Amino acid sequence: EIVMTQSPATLSVSPGERATLSCRASQSVSSNLAWYQQKPGQAPRLLIYGASTRATGFPARFSGSGSGTEFTLTISSLQSEDFAVYYCQQYNNWWTFGQGTKVEIK
Amino acid sequence: QVQLVESGGGVVQPGGSLRLSCAASGFTFSSYGMHWVRQAPGKGLEWVAFIRYDGSNKYYADSVKGRFTISRDNSKNTLYLQMNSLRAEDTAVYYCAKEYEAYCGGDCFFDYWGQGTLVTVSS
């Protein structure tokens, strides 16, 4: 099983600041990496796929990068609606999720 | 628009059984692989099971293998999860999710999720 490790567990950021979230795979997943956003009481929502392609409905302040085992999700200027939990997921070899990073208001 | 609506959750005693359903609409259900993903209270996401678009292949997480069975009825646009020998650690919100690409061979991410149904295993 491919293990996905996200860091940090919690990220405290002020509105307007930049947030950088990391995701590491225990073995290469190529670019088969997705990011999901989940707000309290809601289902996860696809944010990024193919490591760097933004899903429909998300603004350009969200960007993804990386390949192989190291991936990054960057939110360039946090807005109030961006405070949520973010999960990475590999779909290269079955499907596994990271444990999530909670982005909270500082 | 794509809609996935789960049902069938509830409270069940340890060792009991429950069948979840996921009613799909807004897309050609028979062309897409489907998944179940669960989330224990306050915890992260755990992939549970996958079924190919035609039902020919099914995969399970080790944590549920031998106890849970995924199935689908393409004539009814419905996905199922039969859960037997339930344990306290199976307590979670269960989501169904649709694969992004039709006829995907398995290396696909999930583009739509239902709102989930809560399963509580407790005596």
Side-chain angles (χ1 to χ4, degrees), chain B residues 64-83:
Chain B
V64 307
K65 198 175 297 182
R67 301 187 299 123
F68 289 12
T69 302
I70 189 172
S71 62
R72 65 191 297 158
D73 186 336
N74 285 346
S75 67
K76 295 182 178 179
N77 291 344
T78 303
L79 174 72
Y80 302 100
L81 185 68
Q82 177 67 44
M83 304 186 295

Side-chain angles (χ1 to χ4, degrees), chain B residues 3 6 19-20 26 38 46 49 57 75 77 96 105 113 117 122:
Chain B
Q3 276 200 311
E6 301 93 338
R19 189 177 85 154
L20 307 183
R38 68 184 180 183
E46 179 188 16
N57 284 344
S75 67
N77 291 344
C96 62
W113 301 59
T117 186
S122 174

Side-chain angles (χ1 to χ4, degrees), chain B residues 36-117:
Chain B
W36 287 100
V37 178
R38 68 184 180 183
Q39 186 169 37
K43 303 297 184 182
L45 302 169
E46 179 188 16
W47 172 77
V48 172
F50 161 77
I51 186 167
R52 217 170 96 118
Y53 60 91
D54 58 1
S56 61
N57 284 344
K58 304 174 186 181
Y59 305 129
Y60 299 93
D62 287 344
S63 57
V64 307
K65 198 175 297 182
R67 301 187 299 123
F68 289 12
T69 302
I70 189 172
S71 62
R72 65 191 297 158
D73 186 336
N74 285 346
S75 67
K76 295 182 178 179
N77 291 344
T78 303
L79 174 72
Y80 302 100
L81 185 68
Q82 177 67 44
M83 304 186 295
N84 298 331
S85 303
L86 282 161
R87 306 166 180 168
E89 54 265 35
D90 296 318
T91 295
V93 173
Y94 285 73
Y95 297 100
C96 62
K98 166 189 169 290
E99 290 207 316
Y100 172 74
E101 193 175 324
Y103 308 116
C104 185
D107 53 348
C108 266
F109 51 92
F110 314 158
D111 61 347
Y112 286 94
W113 301 59
Q115 281 305 300
T117 186

